[in-house]
Amino acid sequence: MIDAVGLQKVYRLKKKQVTALNGVDLHVRSGEIYGVVGQSGAGKSTLLRSVNLLERPDQGTVEVDGQALTSLHGTGLRGARRRIGMVHQHFALLSSRTVAGNVAFPLEVAGVGRAQRRTKVGELLELVGLGDKARAYPSQLSGGQKQRVGIARALASDPKVLLSDEATSALDPETTEAILVLLRRLRDELGLTILLITHEMDVIKRICDSAAIMADGEFLESGRVLDLIGTPGSLLARSLFPLPDNGGPDTVVVTYPRSFDRPFMSELTRRFDVDVNILGGGVEEVAGQSVGRLSVDLMGNRRTEAIDYLTQQGLLVEEAGQ
Ligand code: ADP
Ligand code: MG
């Protein structure tokens, strides 16, 4: 749904120049929630603004829903941009307008008639759970409610793609959770494709199907979250699941999909005559699936064989003490 290739963007300031994008390729499948995570200054916002060409990259191409945005200008570009909604960290609401007036704004700009606007705004506010707030002003709303208005407004033009720039970064954890649940429901119900950027690893864990880690204008790693957490040495896996700090030279950490229903630990002790001492473990929800993680001390002459065996079963085994 989104295909950006070779994006390059350099900001030239008076004295120095900043490379905000340094050859980024981004591929977002239709209907997926794709998260880009990275520290402040990594180039995330520049990337997002390049996808709808609010920022024109110096080099590279952007295609959204089969349309080559980088070859469009003026009216054509503005038309294409209408199919891409955008949500901002600080909501960017008009304080002099009511909730309904804010959501109606893009419809007015697009020349939609009054009656049709009214119906559409009503539907959108219901969709985001603000059916009773149409006449309220932004100053009367909580942060979470303001962001719901921002989301409703972004959906006014029936976009296929929603871009979210740190939509939950100004919100407390509970409100963040509620907004993430809303975004996932909108993806499911409307078939939206969502590209979001965040500096919070937890957002990636909670709702993203795919993710990229960005630093200094580059993707360090990208792919499906479930694939990445099963990849030895993956940065994303390491950030989502830090290795236990109580590990010693014998410690291994096994990561496995919860659907893996073989009793692999008792198999190990039987087949390889190793001793197993459990240090910790848990099950977490990642990309809509349960992923188990177990840290154990593994001891015995055939320890290496035992580890190889687990790896052959498709489990991710990491030696924490090394
Ligand atoms: P992030 O969203 O990951 O914090 P940004 O994309 O906002 O990163 O910024 C990437 C780099 O580009 C930063 O060094 C930032 O200072 C610089 N930058 C971003 N926008 C501009 C601009 N309009 N003019 C000059 N420099 C900019
Ligand atoms: Mg930013």
Side-chain angles (χ1 to χ4, degrees):
M1 176 60 78
I2 302 174
D3 288 289
V5 178
L7 296 183
Q8 194 84 27
K9 178 77 188 182
V10 177
Y11 291 110
R12 290 187 173 75
L13 308 170
K14 273 182 202 129
K15 289 219 169 95
K16 52 170 190 172
Q17 53 181 39
V18 178
T19 304
L21 298 177
N22 191 14
V24 174
D25 295 336
L26 169 72
H27 301 284
V28 183
R29 298 173 186 87
S30 181
E32 83 175 341
I33 302 182
Y34 192 113
V36 178
V37 68
Q39 296 190 339
S40 178
K44 304 183 299 295
S45 293
T46 306
L47 173 63
L48 204 72
R49 293 162 58 80
S50 298
V51 168
N52 62 5
L53 254 66
L54 282 177
E55 205 80 69
R56 189 170 279 274
D58 301 330
Q59 281 178 50
T61 55
V62 177
E63 249 186 50
V64 176
D65 197 19
Q67 196 169 26
L69 294 195
T70 26
S71 47
L72 294 178
H73 297 269
T75 325
L77 181 56
R78 278 194 295 278
R81 219 179 254 150
R82 232 170 268 139
R83 313 305 313 268
I84 306 173
M86 186 145 177
V87 185
H88 307 268
Q89 178 177 0
H90 296 294
F91 324 123
L93 303 180
L94 300 167
S95 57
S96 62
R97 283 182 166 234
T98 61
V99 164
N102 269 279
V103 178
F105 187 68
L107 297 169
E108 289 171 31
V109 173
V112 175
R114 180 184 290 265
Q116 217 182 325
R117 264 190 339 244
R118 179 176 287 238
T119 312
K120 184 74 186 174
V121 168
E123 287 169 6
L124 287 165
L125 290 178
E126 285 298 330
L127 188 64
V128 300
L130 287 181
D132 57 343
K133 294 285 183 205
R135 290 162 177 277
Y137 283 87
S139 61
Q140 300 169 306
L141 303 180
S142 69
Q145 289 171 330
K146 284 180 195 165
Q147 195 53 288
R148 286 170 192 269
V149 178
I151 292 169
R153 180 187 52 193
L155 296 176
S157 54
D158 295 319
K160 288 193 152 181
V161 171
L162 189 66
L163 306 178
S164 159
D165 190 341
E166 303 270 5
T168 58
S169 296
L171 305 175
D172 62 60
E174 259 173 60
T175 313
T176 291
E177 172 66 18
I179 293 291
L180 295 180
V181 168
L182 172 64
L183 288 176
R184 187 159 55 191
R185 180 163 66 76
L186 293 173
R187 184 275 302 273
D188 294 342
E189 288 179 9
L190 308 177
L192 277 178
T193 303
I194 302 179
L195 173 63
L196 60 85
I197 65 180
T198 179
H199 61 272
E200 297 167 293
M201 233 37 227
D202 225 39
V203 171
I204 303 286
K205 199 187 244 178
R206 287 291 293 118
I207 61 163
C208 292
D209 306 297
S210 293
I213 298 188
M214 194 170 187
D216 296 331
E218 295 178 17
F219 276 6
L220 301 181
E221 193 172 284
S222 64
R224 285 194 166 94
V225 172
L226 286 173
D227 290 343
L228 291 174
I229 61 171
T231 305
S234 151
L235 291 169
L236 188 81
R238 188 55 60 251
S239 319
L240 287 177
F241 296 113
L243 286 173
D245 47 19
N246 59 345
D250 295 326
T251 309
V252 298
V253 180
V254 187
T255 304
Y256 53 99
R258 196 63 186 79
S259 55
F260 191 88
D261 55 4
R262 300 252 307 273
F264 57 88
M265 276 302 158
S266 55
E267 268 180 43
L268 273 198
T269 54
R270 245 192 343 266
R271 292 176 84 132
F272 302 100
D273 195 26
V274 286
D275 284 315
V276 175
N277 181 28
I278 295 178
L279 301 176
V283 175
E284 292 200 60
E285 193 82 6
V286 182
Q289 284 198 35
S290 300
V291 174
R293 229 156 124 85
L294 191 59
S295 33
V296 294
D297 276 343
L298 209 57
M299 293 154 293
N301 291 336
R302 301 178 65 195
R303 178 176 185 276
T304 311
E305 274 178 80
I307 291 174
D308 289 346
Y309 175 75
L310 289 181
T311 307
Q312 283 156 20
Q313 308 301 305
L315 304 183
L316 175 64
V317 186
E318 296 166 290
E319 302 208 46
Q322 295 182 0

